[in-house]
Amino acid sequence: MRTRIAELRNALREVGRACRKARLHTPSPPSGGLVLEVGPGQAPHPRADVVVDKYVADDFDRQGALDVSKPLVVADGQRLPFANRTFAYTLALHVLEHATDPTTFAAELSRVAPAGFVQVPTRIAELTFGWPYHPWLIDREGDTLVFRPRDGQRAPVGDVFHRAYAESALLRNWWAANRELLHHSVEWRDELDVRVEGESVAEQTAELDVERTINALHELDRRGALKPQPDELAGSLRCPSCDGPLSLGDSVAECSSCGRSYPVVGQVPILLIEAAR
């Protein structure tokens, strides 16, 4: 009986520890100013005013349909199509680990906002669970995220842990109580600091198809699902090819500097170099 009581007390302490850890791994965007979220997929943050997603039609690494409850800009996180300091805060939760060039991605987040929050899986998480579309193993040195190639390192029984996490409330509670082992969460000011050692390419990745993207957006627009861009964004859109100012029309966004144009569907601009005309 005493052993069972002790186990129950330990379990309750672990629940309390999980609640405390959650606060350390939760972003705290300001109450004022525009907030940008990059790559939220099917779960945008409630405070996000604008979201950027590149893969609208391909849900390869997204569990569920793309959530379009927020104003959407189709763009690449490594070429954010916004003027400097357009936003007060940026969110990038479980996105940076997908980047082919984390240094450029981090610089773009720092360019468009003076502060933000990023969260990525740790080396332990990658080698325990394993995601074939993540090309990096990420360590943290102070507030610097250090990206190193996987170099063939795998999670040999990752599918077992994924199933166990889905099925076991006890495992999920342990995970929450030991969050720092599995997530690097960095709330940065002025500049997001990353260091990349080597080059890496994901084993699997989503595929960009501009025509499929346009068709998917037309269907969402037909259903009335797409949201208009916030008025505060007017004048802040930039050409991903030359960084010139864009004028946003009903069906096209035009660059006054290089003359390129980009399709617009239901007030959603597709600001990808691959979509330029």
Side-chain angles (χ1 to χ4, degrees):
M1 176 63 76
R2 289 181 179 177
T3 299
R4 290 181 178 177
I5 292 174
E7 289 176 347
L8 178 60
R9 286 175 176 168
N10 287 336
L12 291 174
R13 279 195 290 269
E14 192 169 78
V15 170
R17 191 163 70 248
C19 293
R20 292 191 297 274
K21 292 292 177 65
R23 291 193 290 271
L24 299 176
H25 293 270
T26 301
S28 53
S31 58
L34 287 176
V35 173
L36 171 70
E37 183 164 14
V38 179
Q42 76 280 12
H45 192 278
R47 180 63 181 83
D49 297 295
V50 179
V51 301
V52 158
D53 212 299
K54 183 176 182 178
Y55 300 104
V56 173
D58 191 333
D59 61 356
F60 164 73
D61 58 357
R62 183 178 66 237
Q63 296 179 352
L66 181 70
D67 186 316
V68 290
S69 62
K70 303 282 187 176
L72 169 67
V73 175
V74 179
D76 189 329
Q78 295 176 178
R79 289 178 178 270
L80 291 174
F82 308 106
N84 296 351
R85 296 297 194 261
T86 294
F87 301 93
Y89 195 86
T90 60
L91 295 159
L93 285 77
H94 297 277
V95 179
L96 204 57
E97 64 270 22
H98 296 263
T100 55
D101 186 350
T103 302
T104 298
F105 202 132
E108 283 292 275
L109 293 174
S110 304
R111 180 183 64 80
V112 301
F117 180 92
V118 298
Q119 188 174 89
V120 295
T122 65
R123 175 183 293 266
I124 290 174
E126 290 286 359
L127 297 179
T128 301
F129 289 86
W131 294 271
Y133 37 86
H134 294 171
W136 306 99
L137 297 177
I138 307 174
D139 300 303
R140 180 173 178 173
E141 298 177 4
D143 284 336
T144 300
L145 296 174
V146 183
F147 291 70
R148 297 182 175 96
R150 297 186 74 101
D151 286 339
Q153 297 182 72
R154 304 287 184 271
V157 290
D159 56 339
V160 173
F161 281 97
H162 280 286
R163 286 198 303 270
Y165 181 87
E167 296 169 0
S168 172
L170 291 176
L171 178 58
R172 291 194 296 274
N173 190 69
W174 175 88
W175 178 92
N178 296 276
R179 190 83 174 270
E180 72 282 358
L181 297 177
L182 301 159
H183 284 169
H184 296 310
S185 298
V186 177
E187 190 150 33
W188 55 271
R189 294 286 184 274
D190 298 324
E191 184 178 17
L192 172 60
D193 192 14
V194 306
R195 189 171 79 247
V196 178
E197 299 180 358
E199 299 180 355
S200 192
V201 177
E203 295 177 10
Q204 302 175 29
T205 186
E207 293 185 1
L208 175 66
D209 185 317
V210 174
E211 287 306 313
R212 284 184 61 209
T213 298
I214 291 172
N215 291 337
L217 289 172
H218 273 303
E219 175 59 23
L220 290 167
D221 187 41
R222 185 188 66 79
R223 292 169 12 209
L226 299 177
K227 301 296 186 289
Q229 302 299 326
D231 293 339
E232 300 95 316
L233 201 62
S236 296
L237 292 176
R238 293 293 182 268
C239 174
S241 299
C242 76
D243 198 38
L246 289 172
S247 59
L248 184 63
D250 291 336
S251 61
V252 67
E254 295 183 307
C255 178
S256 60
S257 296
C258 70
R260 290 180 175 87
S261 62
Y262 301 86
V264 175
V265 180
Q267 298 194 54
V268 174
I270 304 174
L271 303 182
L272 297 166
I273 289 178
E274 296 90 337
R277 299 168 180 168

